[in-house]
Amino acid sequence: MTWGPGLIGSFFGGVSVFFSIWQLCIMQFSPFYLAYLLTVYFLIDGSPGRARSAVAPLFIAAAGLAAGFSVIFAILSDPGFASNYALFSGIRGLKTASGFFILAVGALMILLAVLGRFDTKAYVPATLSPLVGASFAIAYSPCIPPVLSEILNFSGMPGNSFKGLILLFLYAAGVCASATLVASVMIMYFRLRQKGRKTRRSMFPPVFSSLVFMIIGLLLVMGFMLRYKRFLVNIF
């Protein structure tokens, strides 16, 4: 039984794409993906004694984002998967709805940041992460790097639709794993900067990262995602 580029090859193909020139295309969603994870971190009381409390909501957020994005990306991308025709027929409405949802989540995170100390507030956006990930997948109009091209060609062959769906899921999961790794490095940097300092908690970081996250929502609602993609692709 052949699997085209293979299970491992598909996953690490997604990982490598994130750190290549193709990132310019992935930037359709990657800055906002990072902003969402950073907001979840910033919503946690950042004192050194709270380090362990950051693990659970961050894990929920990262896992939920990856699952939601990978499932919807695979369904929309698989040329042989019957359900994607129904989704594509209403994709414009889905993009607009996703934009409004992202704006609502961003506004909720800003509200939570303004409310101040509330130890479990980071769990609120974290539990919404699968839907946020799905919204990113709906917003994304992928370019076709070599690994993804190979997967799509394999998936389009008769009888390969289900296998292709799995390979596309693994490819997307690899992209998400890379984004999560970058977000983790950024969080460690902020944690190290804060360590040993007696600074007053500021609502600026979570509010700022929430506003960055909300940009993709505005692009979707205003119908500017394709213009944004063209702008990114023209940088090549």
Side-chain angles (χ1 to χ4, degrees), residues 119-159:
D119 287 347
T120 59
K121 62 181 176 292
Y123 283 96
V124 178
T127 54
L128 295 172
S129 58
L131 293 176
V132 174
S135 298
F136 285 153
I138 290 169
Y140 182 41
S141 299
C143 303
I144 313 294
V147 175
L148 181 56
S149 176
E150 189 176 352
I151 294 172
L152 292 174
N153 288 335
F154 172 80
S155 181
M157 295 177 183

Side-chain angles (χ1 to χ4, degrees), residues 21-104:
I21 190 65
W22 294 99
Q23 172 60 226
L24 287 171
C25 188
I26 296 172
M27 282 180 69
Q28 288 177 73
F29 72 90
S30 60
F32 317 111
Y33 195 109
L34 297 176
Y36 181 81
L37 289 176
L38 288 174
T39 304
V40 172
Y41 168 73
F42 289 137
L43 284 173
I44 301 161
D45 183 356
S47 62
R50 300 279 184 177
R52 290 185 180 180
S53 68
V55 174
L58 282 171
F59 177 80
I60 293 170
L65 276 179
F69 179 86
S70 301
V71 168
I72 299 302
F73 176 86
I75 291 173
L76 288 174
S77 301
D78 189 349
F81 194 69
S83 297
N84 66 12
Y85 295 109
L87 288 172
F88 266 122
S89 64
I91 194 67
R92 183 174 296 181
L94 282 173
K95 285 181 181 289
T96 302
S98 297
F100 280 116
F101 174 73
I102 287 171
L103 290 174

Side-chain angles (χ1 to χ4, degrees), residues 44 50 68 81 105 114 137 143 154 171 179-180 182 207 213:
I44 301 161
R50 300 279 184 177
F81 194 69
V105 173
V114 172
C143 303
F154 172 80
Y171 172 85
T180 302
V182 172
V207 169
F213 164 73

Side-chain angles (χ1 to χ4, degrees), residues 175-189:
V175 174
C176 293
S178 296
T180 302
L181 176 62
V182 172
S184 300
V185 171
M186 295 174 72
I187 287 169
M188 285 190 287
Y189 168 74

